[in-house]
Amino acid sequence: MRLNNKELYEFFVDKEIPTLYHANTVTTSITYIEQYGLLSRGAVEKMGLTQTSQNSDEIDKVLNVWNDVFLDTIDLHSFFPRQNYYGPVLFEFDRELIKDEQFEIWITKNNPINWKKEMEDSDRYFINIQDLREKWETIPRQRKMITIRNNFSPILFNYARRVIVDDPKRTFIEDGKKLHVFNQSVKNIKEVLSPEHPLKGKFMTRNCQGFCYCTNNYLYQHSVTDIKKLFL
């Protein structure tokens, strides 16, 4: 169910969607930074690189999305408002990347974790731009996921606008020393950012106001193990 790149771009212009989003853990994001772009989980595995495991990994292989890169059309952290479940590092991309014909783009009608094995592709994905236009308003925003199919080379950060990193406001005692999670995360990211890297100068800290539940969730809903998996 590949969508026409030019028509999809025009659709996003009509819907005033200027930005695409991808959230992940610090560990996986560092792999992306080192490779100068986003990669599917299948590509990272094939290249022998490092990524954080996800609960959906095995079913993603069964459902044939293991080699796809997923993007959202909205910042889910701000939309709900709460932390993004996929990780605290949010990459923002300009919609211009949609025009690139090398990207085979499909859009889901639901998150693959809710798919059944026997479903047809037409039940999983929009079949064309007309289908997308007719059903866009009837399906929740978070279910409509842009997938760049069969990805095995980096989706370059030339398209990146900025990268936003959450601050969980958590500290631990590690080896008798106080460890500030956010500071350590930023330090680990900076270590792989060369002076000429396309993301240099594009990082910022997310500044959530009182209406967002992310800080409370990071402080009280996540175990030390969870926080380490997301940030360290």
Side-chain angles (χ1 to χ4, degrees):
M1 304 296 174
R2 178 172 185 168
L3 300 178
N4 180 283
N5 294 66
K6 181 176 182 294
E7 292 179 0
L8 181 60
Y9 177 81
E10 292 171 350
F11 174 78
F12 280 174
V13 171
D14 290 343
K15 291 295 181 182
E16 299 182 343
I17 300 172
T19 312
L20 308 178
Y21 304 86
H22 178 91
N24 224 307
T25 65
V26 170
T27 293
T28 304
S29 297
I30 285 174
T31 290
Y32 295 159
I33 294 167
E34 291 174 329
Q35 299 303 310
Y36 285 73
L38 297 187
L39 285 163
S40 67
R41 298 185 65 73
V44 173
E45 180 183 66
K46 185 176 182 180
M47 297 166 72
L49 305 175
T50 302
Q51 60 187 344
T52 307
S53 63
Q54 294 182 0
N55 294 334
S56 61
D57 282 347
E58 292 309 311
I59 192 64
D60 283 353
K61 296 175 183 178
V62 173
L63 295 173
N64 193 30
V65 297
W66 182 242
N67 297 317
D68 300 349
V69 170
F70 286 78
L71 300 165
D72 292 303
T73 61
I74 198 166
D75 174 7
L76 297 179
H77 186 132
S78 298
F79 183 67
F80 278 110
R82 44 90 174 140
Q83 78 281 7
N84 196 306
Y85 294 147
Y86 292 99
V89 183
L90 183 72
F91 297 91
E92 295 187 354
F93 288 86
D94 194 282
R95 68 186 173 202
E96 290 295 311
L97 73 82
I98 295 172
K99 289 200 253 183
D100 193 329
E101 294 285 343
Q102 72 172 309
F103 299 141
E104 179 185 349
I105 300 176
W106 300 30
I107 299 183
T108 68
K109 293 179 176 177
N110 204 342
N111 190 311
I113 62 174
N114 297 315
W115 290 352
K116 294 180 172 57
K117 295 178 185 179
E118 63 272 14
M119 290 173 67
E120 299 290 336
D121 277 349
S122 58
D123 295 319
R124 297 176 176 181
Y125 298 96
F126 293 96
I127 60 174
N128 52 38
I129 298 298
Q130 184 60 33
D131 187 32
L132 187 65
R133 287 187 181 278
E134 291 174 356
K135 298 173 183 170
W136 182 260
E137 302 298 339
T138 68
I139 297 175
R141 195 68 171 267
Q142 71 273 16
R143 295 183 182 178
K144 294 174 290 201
M145 307 171 79
I146 297 171
T147 64
I148 299 179
R149 301 275 284 169
N150 305 312
N151 163 265
F152 293 103
S153 60
I155 298 171
L156 298 178
F157 286 135
N158 297 340
Y159 292 106
R161 290 184 165 192
R162 61 180 183 172
V163 185
I164 306 175
V165 185
D166 294 355
D167 181 355
K169 298 180 171 57
R170 291 284 296 268
T171 57
F172 305 137
I173 301 299
E174 288 274 304
D175 300 323
K177 297 181 181 178
K178 188 175 183 179
L179 174 68
H180 191 285
V181 172
F182 179 75
N183 290 348
Q184 185 62 48
S185 299
V186 171
K187 178 176 181 292
N188 293 341
I189 290 170
K190 285 182 175 179
E191 286 177 352
V192 298
L193 272 175
S194 60
E196 70 280 0
H197 198 285
L199 292 182
K200 191 73 174 181
K202 293 185 177 181
F203 281 81
M204 63 173 291
T205 305
R206 186 180 291 274
N207 181 23
C208 285
Q209 305 302 318
F211 58 82
C212 184
Y213 295 98
C214 67
T215 299
N216 184 76
N217 291 344
Y218 282 136
L219 285 172
Y220 305 112
Q221 304 299 324
H222 284 285
S223 67
V224 171
T225 300
D226 292 338
I227 292 293
K228 286 183 175 181
K229 181 177 181 179
L230 290 169
F231 287 91
L232 300 177

